[in-house]
Each structure stands twice: as structure tokens, then as C-alpha cells.
Amino acid sequence: MRVLKGIPASGGVAIGKGFFLNRVLPRSVRSTVGRDQVDEEVAAFLRAVERSREQILHIRDGVADSSSEHHQILSVHLALLEDSMLVEQTVRTIRENQFAADWAFNKVLQNLLETFHRIEDPYLRERGHDLRQIGHRVLENLAGRPVDSVAAIRDPVVIVAHDLSPADTAQILKSPVLGFATDVGSRTSHTAITARSLGIPAVVGVEGATEEYRSAETVIVDGEEGVVVFDPTEEALREYQERRKAYAQRTRDLAKFARLPTVTRDGKTLLLLANIEFPEEADVALRSGAYGVGLYRTEFLFLNRKDLPSEEEHFETYRKVTEKFVRHPVTIRTFDLGGDKFTSQIELADEMNPAMGLRAIRFCLKEKEIFKPQLRAILRASMYGKVRMMFPMISGVGELREVMSVVEEVRGELRRRRIPYDKEMPIGIMVEIPAAAIVADLLAREVGFFSIGTNDLIQYSLAIDRVNEHVSYLYEPLHPAILRLIRRIVEAGHDAGIPVSMCGEMAGEPFYSYALLGLGLDELSMNAAAIPRVKRILRKSVAYEAKEFAGSLLLHSTAAEIDRALRKKVEDLFPDERF
């Protein structure tokens, strides 16, 4: 028996015969061809691209719902195959250097992958895997080898792979796949998101999984603990079979809470909302008991395409989600692009520190002609439900007023065109920069709501680079400075009479739920799967006791002290929960 650890991506336990899906990029050797062979190399490369395009088109056409995430990402893959950075650059590299087609393509591909690797935002960085998957398919076709297909799987299996492409996951929908483990990936990777949406147990980022796997052996995937077991003993098999039953029972128990309101034992109501990135996630959010959408990321509309999204594309996408939640709020965050946030159609100068550079609202204010179509679309969509508009990375009142003047300009355009919009639509900001937290009292007078983005607020407040392994241990949500900032933001919001939400990762961690209740947050927005469990904890809580306890937490001096105090409290109060 061999055991490897990875990142728990989707809950549950899968036990079955393993199936190795080869998705490793084939190696290329630097080689050149004679000048008279250059045209032939170019033609061979273009045939491989066309063959790949046909294969993806065939898979995409088999996806019944043309608005689904799978269909959308497969369309992105098709667009990548037409991208000048990938195709034209490869042809140019072959012609200028007389390189063999596979080496030239690999060289261009690796340069692009390196660009993605430097992106700090984990969601956007993971989109580099889409590019890698396209590269794998083209190289296999160039070599004349068949590309393994999930569609060919006939018996229940646990997949072990370097990574899964959207084409693979689209086929999983129709295949008897019990679960999967991949070498790479994170909780924000497409593979992980898909696993959660399908309810398939999965562990990603299992370094060496494909090397460890041996043909036809039994594999266990524990998506809760992030454990993968190869060739388990009889004792381990029995243990994990019991865990599988227990997980299924817990899921049934939690499902009951999805339909209940989030009201504490002493009558305080909190709103639990969902963070989403694609329109089809709205259905999952509704089934999980979301009261609405607290964070709708809109960057995906800009990714991996040659042109900018039109106002109609923005509008139709937002309308679709808004109509799903017709009686509940849908908080649309204007796009957070620029800096290290890669888009293929916008030329940006390199920056020394892109995370703090020209991105988010700063980028929008510089590129108003890209920003305004989105503003018009959000305003138009407001007629179809309870839309809220939210701006990322606001640093102060001056910047906020500049953004609001652009909004007013767009409102004027709509009025002149006699296009209706909700004149009372709430407009708020993400509080994720320490400066905004410090002047929260001033900002609160000018907006309709706050939403605390803990991921960036923690990073910037503690001056740490989350992707730097040498300092990542300093990323402490329970740092006294962070808890004090959260309380300050909540108090400033409430003094001004506006609600305060939290939409960072902290909001969806059940361990923090009791403390966040005590700090006075009105709404918590999280991944949909976390909602039933957070709801169960909050329904067992007493709000005024949580408030007193949160006050005592603020007296501690270190994150470790706070962690110990909170752990003891929640384990005493909720002995049936696992933290």
C-alpha cells in the first residue's frame, strides 16, 4: 500500500480500479530541418492544429447544453487554436529558425506557459492548464499518436492523470468515473471546480501520482482529507468503505439545512450567498441554499480571446444569472484585469509589481472604453432582478468618486437612449486594501454596501506574497491586525447604515464562522458547497454570546493564541463538527 497527500478538491470517497489517462506533455528534442523541408514542417503543424480543432469541435458538439461551463471552455480551447500567439508564432519560429515543427511548437508553448505561471491570481494562473492541455493534444496529433479518450471508459474507474482537460471532464459526465487524482491543480483549477459541480470525489496537486500508479491496481481517493491510496490493504479498504458510507450520510444530513433560513438561536439572521464564476454555477448555488450571489467574478468573459466582449455578451450573461435569483441579490463585481491578470487582446507593459500595479478599478479608469460596456450591461441587467454592482480594489474616496462619475456618465447615455435600468440599484465596493479599511468610515458614506475581500486584505496588510513559499506561513487570517480591521470595517458600515459582507475564502471556512458571526458581519459569501455546513453551525449559535467571545479574541496578542482560543470554543460548542 502506498499513500500520497494532495489538495482536497471535492468531498467524498471513491474506491475502484485505477485508470491512467496520459496527459503529460511529450518531450521534444531541439532539431532543425533543411530549408527545403520548412514548408513541409509548417504544413504538418497546421494539419495537427486542424485535427485538434476537429476533435474538440466533435466533443463540444456532444455537450447538450450550449450555455454550460464545459461548452464555454471548449470554445475557449478552440479559440486558443486560432490564437496568433500560439499558431502564427509557431509558424514564424519554424520558418525563421528552420526548427522541426514539434520543437518550434514546444518552444512557443513553454514561453506562453511561463507567462501564465507568473500570474499571481490563482484562478487566472490555473487557466494556463487550458493552454497545456491544448498543447498536449496538438503534439500527440503531430506525432500521429491517438489521444486517450475518457469516452472509451466502459467500467467504473478512478482516473489517475497529470491533469484533466475540459474535453476530458465533458466526457466524464457520460462515463462511469468514480473519482480522480491529478498531479497538478489547485482548489481553483478548472478540474477541481468541475469535480465539485459534478459531486465526484477528487484530489488534485498530488505530486507524483502518475509516477506512483501501477497498471490496473485499486485506487482510493479521499476528497475530504486529500489522500490517495494505491493498492490498499484489506484493512484500509474496510476503513475507507466505512468513511464512504459516513460521508454519504453526512451529505444527506447537510442537505436538510440547504432549505432552512440562516437564523441563530437568539433570532439574528445572516445571509449566506454564493461566489460564482460561470452562469451555470447558479443552479448549484440555489440547490445548496444560497440566498443570492455575493461575488460574481466577470473576468472569464475576457480570457483567451482575440476580441473584447461586447455589451450584449456582458448583458446576456448577467441577465441569465439575475433571472435565476430573481428575488435575491446578485452582486456583479466589475472585472479585475490588468497588471498580472492576463488577457490576450490587451497589450500591457510589464510591471515590476503587477499585483499592486495597473489592475482592477485602476485599469478600468484608464481604459474607460473597455469599462463602459460592462457598466451599461450591468445597469440593463438590473431590470431583471436584484442586481448589485461592486468595484474591486478601491483605495479611497477620491478614486471612488471618479468611478461614480463614470457610472453617472453611462446612466446618462442609457437615459438618452431610453433604455431602462434600476435607478435604486445598490453600488458597493470590495474592501481589500488596508487604506480602504482605515478610511472605511469615509467610504461608507458614499456607497450602498461593503464586501470584505479577505484574500487580498490579509496579503496586503501583512505584506506577504502568498505564492512565495518562504513567507506563505505568515498568511494568517486570525492575525490580531486582520480581526481588528474586520471589526473596524463592520462598525464603519453599520454606523453609516449599510450592510457588510465578506466574500473572501475566510467566509467559507466553517472554523471561522462563529468568530465572523461575533464580529457582526451581515452576509457571508462562499463556494456553494460550503453553504449547508456553515449554515448548520450558525443555526446552532447564539449571536450575542458569539459577539462577547469575538470581543475576547481581540484581546489576544498573536494569531496562535487566537487560533487556540477559537478552536477550544468551537470544539466545545459543536462537538459533532470536524474542524
Side-chain angles (χ1 to χ4, degrees):
M1 182 172 85
R2 289 103 60 206
V3 180
L4 293 183
K5 286 280 288 180
I7 300 167
S10 179
V13 176
I15 303 172
K17 184 180 171 184
F19 180 92
F20 176 63
L21 194 66
N22 183 10
R23 291 291 180 263
V24 179
L25 276 179
R27 296 184 67 179
S28 295
V29 178
R30 187 180 191 279
S31 56
T32 56
V33 297
R35 187 163 295 283
D36 59 335
Q37 295 173 289
V38 166
D39 286 344
E40 191 179 323
E41 289 298 300
V42 169
F45 168 67
L46 294 178
R47 279 198 302 274
V49 170
E50 180 57 22
R51 176 72 180 134
S52 301
R53 197 185 74 81
E54 290 170 357
Q55 290 167 346
I56 296 173
L57 202 55
H58 177 72
I59 296 168
R60 193 191 67 171
D61 290 346
V63 178
D65 182 0
S66 62
S67 66
S68 70
E69 178 185 354
H70 287 111
H71 197 282
Q72 203 160 18
I73 293 181
L74 287 167
S75 297
V76 168
H77 277 207
L78 288 170
L80 274 174
L81 282 171
E82 297 173 359
D83 197 306
S84 61
M85 288 192 300
L86 193 65
V87 180
E88 292 174 20
Q89 182 64 31
T90 300
V91 171
R92 195 158 47 244
T93 302
I94 294 172
R95 291 195 181 286
E96 290 177 356
N97 302 282
Q98 292 178 234
F99 282 146
D102 64 329
W103 172 252
F105 179 65
N106 229 327
K107 186 177 170 62
V108 172
L109 182 66
Q110 293 302 331
N111 287 340
L112 287 173
L113 289 173
E114 182 59 29
T115 302
F116 272 92
H117 184 69
R118 289 197 301 269
I119 296 174
E120 185 178 340
D121 181 273
Y123 170 74
L124 294 177
R125 189 170 59 245
E126 289 298 337
R127 302 286 74 78
H129 289 303
D130 293 336
L131 192 60
R132 183 183 292 276
Q133 290 152 0
I134 280 291
H136 174 270
R137 185 174 291 277
V138 171
L139 285 168
E140 291 294 277
N141 282 318
L142 192 54
R145 290 188 291 265
V147 181
D148 286 347
S149 171
V150 175
I153 296 173
R154 292 289 176 266
D155 300 315
V157 294
V158 175
I159 288 178
V160 180
H162 180 69
D163 196 7
L164 297 177
S165 70
D168 296 326
T169 50
Q171 293 169 329
I172 281 177
L173 286 166
K174 300 173 182 174
S175 303
V177 174
L178 302 170
F180 56 78
T182 59
D183 289 332
V184 299
S186 70
R187 280 190 61 80
T188 55
S189 65
H190 164 76
T191 309
I193 292 169
T194 301
R196 287 194 290 276
S197 68
L198 298 178
I200 294 177
V203 182
V204 299
V206 191
E207 195 173 343
T210 50
E211 293 175 13
E212 195 64 46
Y213 173 68
R214 292 168 197 164
S215 179
E217 68 182 352
T218 298
V219 178
I220 297 173
V221 168
D222 183 344
E224 285 190 284
E225 300 293 334
V227 170
V228 181
V229 183
F230 298 94
D231 191 22
T233 61
E234 286 298 321
E235 183 182 358
L237 263 180
R238 283 194 295 275
E239 178 190 338
Y240 278 98
Q241 282 164 349
E242 288 304 313
R243 288 193 190 189
R244 184 169 59 183
K245 287 180 191 171
Y247 179 83
Q249 185 58 50
R250 285 201 301 277
T251 302
R252 286 193 291 273
D253 292 344
L254 277 174
K256 301 169 190 167
F257 288 87
R259 297 187 294 273
L260 301 175
T262 313
V263 182
T264 65
R265 286 165 53 200
D266 53 339
K268 178 179 171 63
T269 298
L270 271 86
L271 303 184
L272 299 193
L273 304 96
N275 294 345
I276 68 169
E277 294 161 13
F278 297 97
E280 57 269 28
E281 289 180 81
D283 289 328
V284 178
L286 281 165
R287 286 198 297 274
S288 301
Y291 181 81
V293 176
L295 171 62
Y296 183 8
R297 298 186 180 95
T298 57
E299 292 80 53
F300 78 94
L301 283 165
F302 292 81
L303 295 179
N304 301 324
R305 52 188 293 167
K306 289 181 174 178
D307 54 348
L308 292 165
S310 67
E311 179 182 324
E312 285 307 306
E313 283 180 80
H314 280 291
F315 168 68
E316 288 298 333
T317 305
Y318 306 150
R319 183 180 61 83
K320 187 184 293 184
V321 173
T322 302
E323 288 181 336
K324 295 266 185 187
F325 287 91
V326 65
R327 287 188 294 277
H328 300 306
V330 173
T331 312
I332 302 174
R333 184 182 74 178
T334 58
F335 62 83
D336 183 354
L337 292 174
D340 65 345
K341 308 288 183 94
F342 180 84
T343 57
S344 59
Q345 78 281 27
I346 303 170
E347 295 293 333
L348 296 168
D350 288 340
E351 295 185 79
M352 288 291 288
N353 193 344
M356 297 188 187
L358 185 63
R359 55 169 279 211
I361 205 65
R362 305 160 187 182
F363 176 84
C364 292
L365 289 173
K366 184 173 183 295
E367 303 286 349
K368 293 190 181 70
E369 294 313 308
I370 298 175
F371 189 33
K372 283 181 177 179
Q374 182 179 40
L375 294 180
R376 284 195 292 270
I378 295 172
L379 284 163
R380 289 170 57 195
S382 67
M383 293 301 290
Y384 294 83
K386 297 177 71 173
V387 172
R388 306 191 295 196
M389 182 153 57
M390 180 163 72
F391 303 122
M393 282 203 80
I394 291 290
S395 60
V397 172
E399 190 175 48
L400 174 63
R401 288 177 180 169
E402 193 179 349
V403 180
M404 291 304 296
S405 73
V406 180
V407 173
E408 192 49 48
E409 210 176 305
V410 170
R411 282 173 170 158
E413 291 174 21
L414 293 179
R415 284 195 295 271
R416 285 191 292 279
R417 291 161 55 193
R418 299 182 184 279
I419 295 175
Y421 62 88
D422 178 6
K423 295 179 177 57
E424 305 300 322
M425 180 184 73
I427 296 180
I429 62 168
M430 282 186 78
V431 182
E432 52 188 338
I433 295 179
I438 291 166
V439 298
D441 57 327
L442 305 177
L443 287 164
R445 301 172 192 163
E446 316 239 351
V447 295
F449 65 93
F450 281 160
S451 187
I452 303 174
T454 50
N455 301 359
D456 276 347
L457 184 64
I458 295 169
Q459 175 174 231
Y460 297 142
S461 297
L462 302 182
I464 54 166
D465 179 353
R466 276 183 292 168
V467 298
N468 184 328
E469 61 193 36
H470 301 297
V471 295
S472 59
Y473 71 96
L474 291 170
Y475 187 83
E476 296 177 315
L478 293 179
H479 191 291
I482 302 303
L483 294 192
R484 288 169 188 235
L485 280 178
I486 293 172
R487 184 178 66 170
R488 182 188 187 96
I489 298 164
V490 170
E491 288 179 350
H494 289 176
D495 287 347
I498 65 171
V500 181
S501 176
M502 177 180 284
C503 60
E505 289 298 311
M506 197 174 175
E509 287 292 337
F511 176 59
Y512 303 128
S513 299
Y514 190 71
L516 297 179
L517 169 67
L519 288 169
L521 285 144
D522 304 293
E523 303 173 2
L524 299 175
S525 188
M526 62 198 74
N527 72 80
I531 289 174
R533 190 167 171 219
V534 171
K535 190 177 285 191
R536 182 167 69 182
I537 290 170
L538 293 173
R539 284 177 58 86
K540 291 179 183 175
S541 303
V542 178
Y544 80 86
E545 291 177 355
K547 185 178 180 180
E548 286 183 8
F549 176 71
S552 72
L553 285 181
L554 293 166
L555 300 176
H556 291 290
S557 304
T558 69
E561 290 173 11
I562 294 174
D563 185 277
R564 280 195 295 273
L566 179 58
R567 191 164 299 280
K568 182 175 186 315
K569 187 70 175 178
V570 296
E571 287 178 351
D572 286 346
L573 284 175
F574 316 110
D576 296 333
E577 299 286 345
R578 298 169 65 193
F579 294 104

